[in-house]
Amino acid sequence: MRRVDGLDHLTSPAEGSVVTIGFFDGVHLGHRAVLDRTVARARERGLPSTAITFDRHPREVLTPGSEPRLLSTVEGKARLIAARGIDQLLVLPFTADLAAWEPDRFVHEVLVTALRARHVVVGANFTFGHRARGDAASLVAAGPTNGFAAEAVDLVFLDGRRVSSSSVRDALAAGDLAWPARALDRRFAVEGTVVGGAGRGHGLGYPTANLETSPRLLLPAKGIYAGRARTDGVDAGAAISVGTNPTFGSEPLHVEAFLLDFDGDLRGRRLEIEFWARLRDEETFPSAEALVEAMGEDVARAREVLARG
């Protein structure tokens, strides 16, 4: 999949294209239904497919401070979209100027002029343009005079519960990993760069990889988790802490992982932490010795979870 950042770097497809638009945070089952329909329509017409997304959540610009923490970075989202078979990802910077565009301008400048859209696929709850004045119905209505057909894909429900990015965020904030795994059709994971920490883990016998993540990313609720840690050449089970190390005072919320049966230095490397099960709440212990005992129990329970698969 080709990634293009901004309209200035885009080459208009001479033959036209099939286009979808969305923020696609987490690329959950609802997003996948839209992306898969886009790929199918492109193959039917023998045209390339393009997904349009944005470099930040619109609320970061429209109502600063109210934007949600995200389920994926732009890079992670791009990998998930590429896995659906999309040919090209167009990442638009979401600016105050873009937010002020009326729906007609977005249709003309992006869909018609830049992408020469012949077919457009969106989710049923899609909105666009200044003050969200455009929606799926208006896009369908605008199609015939602009040289494209448009369709809306129904929302996805599991056991009566709507699949949405916000529902996944709510579950993770409550420490629930089951709903995210169903809605995303994969275990929730975060990625970041391994950085140096205080070094306490090594002194306690459990050296951890400390993950520096994007401030835009959502972390699961504070607690201890079992999961896996992955980077190039490494795929190891892990006991994972999401918290502030309250036994030693208070630190910014962060992720650190003790990799099982691994001995090596990961500093400076990109690492993905995949969450399998929540083991317990974060606790403040009366002594380092009590913490070490709890960490030993956490590692044993993490091994049990991972052994079950």
Side-chain angles (χ1 to χ4, degrees):
M1 183 186 76
R2 177 173 181 247
R3 173 175 164 177
V4 179
D5 291 278
L7 290 174
D8 291 342
H9 299 95
L10 183 70
T11 300
S12 299
E15 69 274 44
S17 62
V18 176
V19 182
T20 186
I21 318 161
F23 190 61
F24 301 122
D25 188 28
V27 192
H28 56 60
L29 289 177
H31 298 143
R32 283 170 50 171
V34 173
L35 293 165
D36 291 352
R37 182 73 61 84
T38 303
V39 170
R41 292 290 186 249
R43 289 174 179 168
E44 288 171 4
R45 290 172 171 258
L47 296 173
S49 58
T50 293
I52 303 172
T53 193
F54 305 97
D55 68 340
R56 66 200 64 208
H57 196 282
R59 279 164 53 187
E60 187 175 327
V61 173
L62 298 172
T63 53
S66 72
E67 69 275 11
R69 292 293 180 94
L70 304 180
L71 302 173
S72 53
T73 62
V74 175
E75 293 73 22
K77 180 163 56 175
R79 288 194 297 272
L80 293 166
I81 289 173
R84 307 317 302 170
I86 291 288
D87 297 311
Q88 176 174 256
L89 178 66
L90 172 60
V91 182
L92 296 178
F94 196 93
T95 62
D97 177 63
L98 181 64
W101 285 17
E102 292 296 336
D104 288 350
R105 181 179 177 186
F106 188 90
V107 168
H108 177 72
E109 295 198 19
V110 178
L111 297 181
V112 177
T113 302
L115 290 169
R116 297 182 182 175
R118 297 293 177 261
H119 196 97
V120 180
V121 181
V122 294
N125 60 341
F126 172 72
T127 60
F128 70 109
H130 185 53
R131 297 186 181 276
R133 288 179 177 138
D135 58 15
S138 63
L139 196 60
V140 171
T145 57
N146 286 284
F148 63 81
E151 65 177 300
V153 176
D154 290 339
L155 303 178
V156 173
F157 291 80
L158 295 175
D159 297 329
R161 185 176 182 180
R162 181 183 149 198
V163 173
S164 67
S165 299
S166 58
S167 73
V168 173
R169 296 186 197 110
D170 290 345
L172 290 168
D176 172 20
L177 298 178
W179 174 251
R182 293 191 67 200
L184 300 173
D185 195 32
R186 65 181 185 281
R187 292 183 173 95
F188 177 71
V190 298
E191 60 180 317
T193 302
V194 179
V195 296
R200 297 192 196 97
H202 191 274
L204 297 172
Y206 294 98
T208 58
N210 294 272
L211 203 65
E212 181 178 70
T213 59
S214 166
R216 287 190 172 107
L217 276 183
L218 176 71
L219 300 179
K222 292 180 185 178
I224 308 301
Y225 296 82
R228 299 200 71 84
R230 298 188 178 97
T231 187
D232 291 341
V234 177
D235 185 346
I240 306 156
S241 170
V242 178
T244 60
N245 292 333
T247 299
F248 300 101
S250 183
E251 300 175 1
L253 183 69
H254 66 284
V255 179
E256 55 184 307
F258 172 66
L259 277 62
L260 309 182
D261 307 314
F262 174 81
D263 184 17
D265 188 355
L266 297 174
R267 279 177 294 184
R269 297 176 67 177
R270 295 291 293 177
L271 188 69
E272 179 187 67
I273 301 293
E274 184 179 76
F275 294 84
W276 285 39
R278 193 169 193 271
L279 302 179
R280 62 173 174 86
D281 293 340
E282 182 180 54
E283 299 178 45
T284 303
F285 292 93
S287 66
E289 291 76 16
L291 172 60
V292 169
E293 182 179 351
M295 291 170 73
E297 295 172 356
D298 295 336
V299 168
R301 291 183 62 196
R303 289 188 185 278
E304 292 174 2
V305 169
L306 295 165
R308 292 195 297 267

